[in-house]
Amino acid sequence: MALELKKGDNGFDINFTVTNSDGTAFNLTGYTIKWKMWPKNRPTRLILDVTVTIVSAVAGTCKYAAVAGDFDLPGLFDAELEMTQAGVKVSTKNFEVLVADSA
């Protein structure tokens, strides 16, 4: 999964579909989801740690409503979705987010 955003953009939804390793939808029923993002190769420096809203649990779809300040730092970042349920934590594979400068 790769995601490209413009520096400073906000006020829109970012949609995700979480899948199992075989490509089927990951059932999000009962999970709380966080989107975590950090500078490339610096996982201890989170710049985004926000709650994601489930759209359809059975279909594995969720979204995040971008707000001002989320993407003010341009660069290439690593990210993951972290699903938590009753003490069990499951994370997606890391994916890249490019926050590009805009004119």
Side-chain angles (χ1 to χ4, degrees), residues 45-100:
R45 187 173 169 239
L46 287 179
I47 62 159
L48 195 66
D49 186 2
V50 294
T51 301
V52 174
T53 303
I54 294 173
V55 175
S56 172
V58 175
T61 58
C62 52
K63 68 180 179 178
Y64 174 69
V67 298
D70 283 345
F71 309 110
D72 287 347
L73 184 63
L76 186 61
F77 301 91
D78 283 323
E80 70 181 10
L81 295 179
E82 180 183 275
M83 289 80 64
T84 306
Q85 176 188 60
V88 174
K89 180 173 72 169
V90 179
S91 298
T92 63
K93 289 182 179 180
N94 289 0
F95 58 93
E96 289 186 335
V97 177
L98 174 63
V99 178

Side-chain angles (χ1 to χ4, degrees), residues 2-69:
L3 181 61
E4 186 172 334
L5 305 165
K6 293 287 187 181
K7 177 184 169 189
D9 281 1
N10 63 80
F12 59 93
D13 289 340
I14 300 169
N15 297 292
F16 298 99
T17 300
V18 182
T19 58
N20 295 303
S21 59
D22 65 0
T24 59
F26 182 93
N27 189 335
L28 298 170
T29 301
Y31 282 92
T32 299
I33 306 168
K34 297 274 238 141
W35 178 14
K36 297 185 175 193
M37 190 169 85
W38 58 91
K40 198 80 171 144
N41 300 316
R42 297 186 64 196
T44 59
R45 187 173 169 239
L46 287 179
I47 62 159
L48 195 66
D49 186 2
V50 294
T51 301
V52 174
T53 303
I54 294 173
V55 175
S56 172
V58 175
T61 58
C62 52
K63 68 180 179 178
Y64 174 69
V67 298

